[in-house]
Amino acid sequence: MASSEVALHEGTGGAARSSVINDFSIQVATVNGSGSQSANSILLRTIFQMGVPVSGKNLFPSNIQGLPTWFTIRASKQGFIARKAEIDFLIAMNPETAKEDVMALKPGAAVLYDEPLALSGLRNDLAFYSIPCDKLTAQVCTEAKLRKLVRNMIYVGAMANLLELDMVEVEKALRKQFAGKVKAADLNWNAAKAGFDYASATLTKGDPYRVERMNATAGKIIIDGNSAAALGAMFAGVTVVTWYPITPSSSLVESLIEYMKEYRIGPGGKATFAIVQAEDELAAVGMVIGAAWAGARSMTATAGPGISLMSEFTGLAYYAEVPAVIWNVQRVGPSTGMPTRTAQGDILSTAFLSHGDTKHVMLFPSSVHECFEFAGTAFDLAERLQTPVFVMSDLDLGMNNWMSDPFEYPEKPIDRGKVLSKEELDKLGGFARYKDVDGDGIGYRTLPGTDHPGAAYFTRGSGHNEKAQYSERPDDYVNNMERLDKKFATARTLVPKPATAGEGSEIGIIAYGTSHWAMVEALHQLDNECGLKADYMRLKGYPFSAEVHDFVAKHKRVYVVDQNRDAQMLQLLKLDLDAGEVAKLRSVRHFDGLPIDARSLTDAIRQQEGK
């Protein structure tokens, strides 16, 4: 820590302690349904507005209300935005979990708690702060029925005092949260001030954590991945969206509905899109395939259980070669699993979804920026390759708050792929729908309504030849399946290339999706703590491009990071690599449902390296 970042203050008992500036995690423990989300968002945004890199993770139960919920805020002057395993400052507001939460803290942490919980006697190695939330709320809110709604703002104000947050920024964040609701904003602002004033007059600072202004967030935004994906889909030209609600994907379509209502209403108030809630996920993907066959850019969003139901229709789209975009916002399984916990558990099942020989294109966004970008990429790939494309997000990315640069307006023209127009058909005279003309495995297609006698063809999920005629001839089937395999090889050259960092180490590390942010920090820890340097590759798409094979070939040992029990990405790599390269692969797994953290990766790699 640089000397300019160190300050002294009088802590509990008068002992001088060094300040920890802009580098800590806060955990807010409340009850689901208590309205704490607004308060937590205001606290996060205040730190962000003070120029400090920040991220937020919401850990909530799968029922509507009444069970414990935790929200973690990480501030990092170095820009690390993965979840931090250790909690530095606990805000304890839930009687059911308060003692357990306190006992899990490391020595030197701080606890702000509601006075009736009486937590200060549990340990003598923590800094405790007690605030009478109900008493302070009653002073600023005369209507008893409204007190529950503003109660959480008391701890926001108290934390602003303890962390030295600028109350001007608190008010700015608060009024943004309650935009258009002046009365609610005023009431909550009074509660925040009451918490701040009480802490200022009563509490003695006994912990080292505080915030100082930086300039590391200028021009950046905070957004969740599902909202970013919805924006990306709209800009990509989606016109038909079908879905069945399922956590954690529901907010993607809900956000898209709002965006489309605002920006896709044509002259006379007529919608230029269709968004349909189907009776189940099977019906939803069937509608997507039908709309895509008719020429629409269509998509659905779901999670693991929905993906399972979509298996048969996905096979139809693969074999009949109909484009479709499917967002899989992954959660913990199998079965119902833990629907509000995060995972990367659908990699293998999605890659080969459906019966028979099927292989599907997948994209792996790691950021909200890529959720926006890959929406357009997915539609272009689906139409270029005439096949389903799966975008493999997860709950952590989809539903949590992430800091990002603003999204660029897409300048690249939409790629509809090999679609024959009337004019082209006039020149050709006709076409064979499933014939490989160009040697890339991709046939030409027409859209329904094309005004030409040679435009029509049968779209078959049963055996067919290159002219789309029904066939059970063995040679027709073999030729068709080999062509589909050639098309998959073409996809290797079209999916986004992996990103790499470092060069020359004998150790390589491969990660994907939200594991990226923990891995970036873990690379820093490995270098600083034990001098272990490693080259890094982040996968963006499947099938794997030549760069992935080259990366493995250059290293003696390659660690593959998965957020699932069965090392599913490692298993996919094993199927793809030459036999001599497979022995290099080593697994690092994280699958407890919590967002992945850097420390678990660092410790796992150090252990396997004997460091």
Side-chain angles (χ1 to χ4, degrees), residues 165-421:
L165 302 178
D166 189 335
M167 284 296 279
V168 172
E169 300 293 355
V170 174
E171 183 176 14
K172 179 181 175 182
L174 186 150
R175 295 198 180 278
K176 181 179 179 65
Q177 183 72 24
F178 295 101
K181 302 176 182 178
V182 177
K183 182 179 178 181
D186 289 344
L187 190 59
N188 280 275
W189 173 235
N190 289 335
K193 287 192 295 183
F196 182 92
D197 292 342
Y198 179 86
S200 179
T202 309
L203 304 181
T204 301
K205 181 75 168 172
D207 69 88
Y209 306 108
R210 65 187 184 90
V211 173
E212 278 188 3
R213 281 194 179 273
M214 295 177 62
N215 191 30
T217 64
K220 295 187 181 296
I221 62 173
I222 291 179
I223 190 172
D224 62 88
N226 283 352
S227 295
L231 280 170
M234 181 178 70
F235 277 93
V238 68
T239 54
V240 176
V241 183
T242 61
W243 67 307
Y244 185 78
I246 182 173
T247 302
S249 70
S250 295
S251 63
L252 195 161
V253 180
E254 290 165 351
S255 297
L256 185 53
I257 290 170
E258 297 305 313
Y259 293 139
M260 299 287 265
K261 284 181 178 178
E262 185 170 358
Y263 298 108
R264 286 285 193 85
I265 301 298
K270 185 176 181 180
T272 60
F273 60 91
I275 299 180
V276 180
Q277 181 175 326
E279 60 266 34
D280 54 34
E281 291 90 348
L282 182 60
V285 75
M287 293 177 188
V288 166
I289 294 167
W293 172 84
R297 284 203 147 184
S298 58
M299 61 166 275
T300 187
T302 189
I307 291 292
S308 297
L309 289 175
M310 293 178 181
S311 173
E312 185 174 357
F313 263 140
T314 301
L316 169 64
Y318 172 82
Y319 194 45
E321 300 180 66
V322 179
V325 172
I326 302 165
W327 281 81
N328 182 359
V329 189
Q330 298 167 91
R331 70 189 208 186
V332 171
S335 188
T336 304
M338 295 191 292
T340 58
R341 301 293 187 268
T342 194
Q344 295 173 333
D346 302 340
I347 303 302
L348 273 177
S349 61
T350 301
F352 306 111
L353 190 67
S354 197
H355 52 281
D357 292 323
T358 55
K359 291 187 287 191
H360 300 299
V361 175
M362 297 186 292
L363 303 180
F364 309 113
S366 70
S367 65
V368 292
H369 196 281
E370 286 187 341
C371 284
F372 177 84
E373 176 188 347
F374 284 5
T377 302
F379 280 111
D380 284 351
L381 283 173
E383 296 208 272
R384 168 58 59 182
L385 293 166
Q386 301 169 23
T387 196
V389 172
F390 292 85
V391 189
M392 307 298 286
S393 181
D394 63 31
L395 183 147
D396 184 21
L397 180 55
M399 295 192 70
N400 283 328
N401 295 307
W402 296 82
M403 192 173 66
S404 174
D405 290 324
F407 308 145
E408 298 89 1
Y409 189 92
E411 299 289 346
K412 181 182 175 183
I414 286 175
D415 184 358
R416 300 304 305 268
K418 297 182 179 183
V419 178
L420 293 171
S421 66

